[in-house]
């Protein structure tokens, strides 16, 4: 999966054991709320944007419509949990309601950032890549990935390519503390390309950049990329050409794929 590649750069042995041996640490207890929050927020945002997981582009709804749909989805989910608790003759715990409220706040905050998209005409939520999607890196050499893109905005004349539009804006939601990217703020004697390479090596931005390369393989000519967090703004943080320029890095991943049997 695309998300596994970021982890593979940080902890290659752990990811290898997880994928090929089915062995992983049982440490989800400490991250249970973070995992639940992320799943709830992504699901509510996808339902608010319209037709999730259908790989279809639809007209962009008004922001207020998206936020209203998110609120409805969240309330319906809470009602189902309340009904489940009632069946067990137990009240809905205050701590659960607090976590649900926090997830709703995050989803609503992210949805509010989708306002002022007048220059974009279509969107698709939870776009599922084929398994595998081949990213060509040379003659008969492909980096194979699979995954699901949180949000894709599109504009321009529709084409017969895999994604259907020449210009895209790929957005990855982050519900935790992760920040977006800023390739303009560089240190002295450091270029944006060098900064981006450094972040990729650290495992930051790999997921989003791989989505860009996959979109390019499916016919996209231009793509803007944004890691959207609650503290960030809805703006383009880097572009497809920035990802394409990192060929040495992608070939290193290809080497990991070959050596690891991925």
């Amino acid at each position: 999966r695309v998300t596994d590649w970021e982890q593979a750069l940080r902890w290659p042995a752990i990811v290898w054991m997880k994928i090929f041996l089915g062995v992983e640490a049982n440490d989800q207890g400490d991250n249970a709320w973070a995992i639940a929050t992320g799943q709830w927020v992504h699901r509510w945002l996808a339902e608010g944007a319209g037709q999730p997981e259908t790989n279809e582009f639809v007209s962009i709804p008004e922001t207020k419509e998206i936020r209203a749909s998110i609120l409805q989805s969240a309330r319906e989910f809470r009602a189902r949990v309340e009904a489940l608790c009632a069946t067990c003759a137990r009240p809905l715990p205050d701590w659960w309601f607090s976590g649900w409220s926090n997830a709703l706040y995050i989803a609503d905050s992210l949805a509010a950032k989708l306002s002022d998209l007048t220059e974009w005409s279509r969107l698709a939520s939870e776009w599922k890549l084929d398994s595998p999607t081949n990213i060509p890196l040379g003659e008969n050499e492909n980096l194979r990935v699979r995954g699901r893109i949180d949000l894709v905005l599109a504009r321009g004349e529709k084409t017969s390519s895999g994604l259907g539009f020449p210009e895209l804006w790929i957005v990855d939601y982050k519900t935790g503390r992760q920040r977006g990217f800023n390739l303009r703020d560089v240190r002295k004697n450091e270029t944006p390309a060098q900064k981006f390479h450094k972040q990729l090596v650290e495992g930051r931005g790999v997921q989003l950049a791989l989505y860009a390369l996959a979109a390019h393989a499916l016919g996209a000519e231009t793509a803007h990329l944004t890691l959207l967090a609650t503290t960030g703004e809805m703006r383009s943080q880097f572009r497809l050409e920035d990802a394409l320029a990192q060929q040495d890095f992608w070939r290193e991943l290809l080497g990991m794929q070959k050596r690891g049997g991925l």
Side-chain angles (χ1 to χ4, degrees), residues 5-244:
W5 271 118
E6 288 196 352
Q7 303 301 318
L9 286 164
R10 299 170 184 170
W11 306 290
I14 292 176
V15 172
W16 188 89
M17 288 190 293
K18 172 186 172 183
I19 293 176
F20 294 105
L21 303 181
V23 177
E24 57 183 316
N26 185 22
D27 60 355
Q28 291 190 353
D30 295 336
N31 299 318
W33 266 121
I35 294 171
T37 299
Q39 291 176 343
W40 297 350
V41 169
H42 279 74
R43 182 168 71 242
W44 298 340
L45 282 164
E47 292 171 351
Q51 293 187 303
E53 298 186 63
T54 61
N55 281 18
E56 294 181 25
F57 282 93
V58 298
S59 298
I60 297 179
E62 295 286 340
T63 305
K64 62 181 181 181
E65 294 177 9
I66 297 177
R67 296 176 75 177
S69 180
I70 287 171
L71 180 58
Q72 179 180 349
S73 295
R75 284 176 172 172
E76 289 176 352
F77 173 63
R78 185 186 68 188
R80 292 196 297 271
V81 176
E82 287 176 329
L84 179 63
C85 289
T87 301
C88 300
R90 293 178 178 271
L92 184 66
D94 290 339
W95 54 262
W96 189 94
F97 181 78
S98 176
W100 172 88
S101 298
N102 180 59
L104 177 57
Y105 167 77
I106 293 173
D108 184 70
S109 297
L110 292 173
K113 297 177 185 297
L114 301 180
S115 60
D116 197 27
L117 293 174
T118 54
E119 296 182 0
W120 297 82
S121 58
R122 312 287 284 178
L123 67 73
S125 60
E126 299 292 311
W127 184 284
K128 188 175 182 180
L129 297 173
D130 287 339
S131 180
T133 294
N134 291 318
I135 298 174
L137 295 179
E139 187 175 356
N140 298 322
E141 290 188 314
N142 295 296
L143 190 61
R144 299 187 299 274
V145 301
R146 59 186 173 92
R148 195 161 50 193
I149 305 174
D150 291 342
L151 181 69
V152 186
L153 304 174
R155 65 184 176 189
E157 295 294 327
K158 193 170 184 179
T159 68
S160 58
S161 65
L163 279 165
F165 291 89
E167 186 172 6
L168 305 173
W169 190 349
I170 298 173
V171 179
D172 185 36
Y173 300 127
K174 290 302 177 186
T175 59
R177 298 180 180 179
Q178 190 170 354
R179 296 170 295 159
F181 296 88
N182 184 358
L183 298 185
R184 301 173 188 172
D185 184 16
V186 297
R187 297 179 179 178
K188 188 177 181 180
N189 299 324
E190 183 183 49
T191 66
Q194 290 171 330
K195 180 178 181 179
F196 191 34
H197 179 82
K198 186 185 300 182
Q199 290 179 330
L200 291 174
V201 171
E202 294 172 352
R204 293 193 63 225
V206 176
Q207 178 180 356
L208 200 53
L210 283 172
Y211 284 148
L213 297 182
H216 182 60
L218 293 172
E221 301 171 5
T222 303
H224 307 266
L225 289 304
T226 297
L227 192 157
L228 188 61
T230 55
T231 56
E233 299 178 1
M234 183 63 179
R235 60 178 180 81
S236 178
Q237 295 168 355
F238 64 97
R239 299 168 65 93
L240 170 61
E241 50 262 39
D242 296 314
L244 289 172

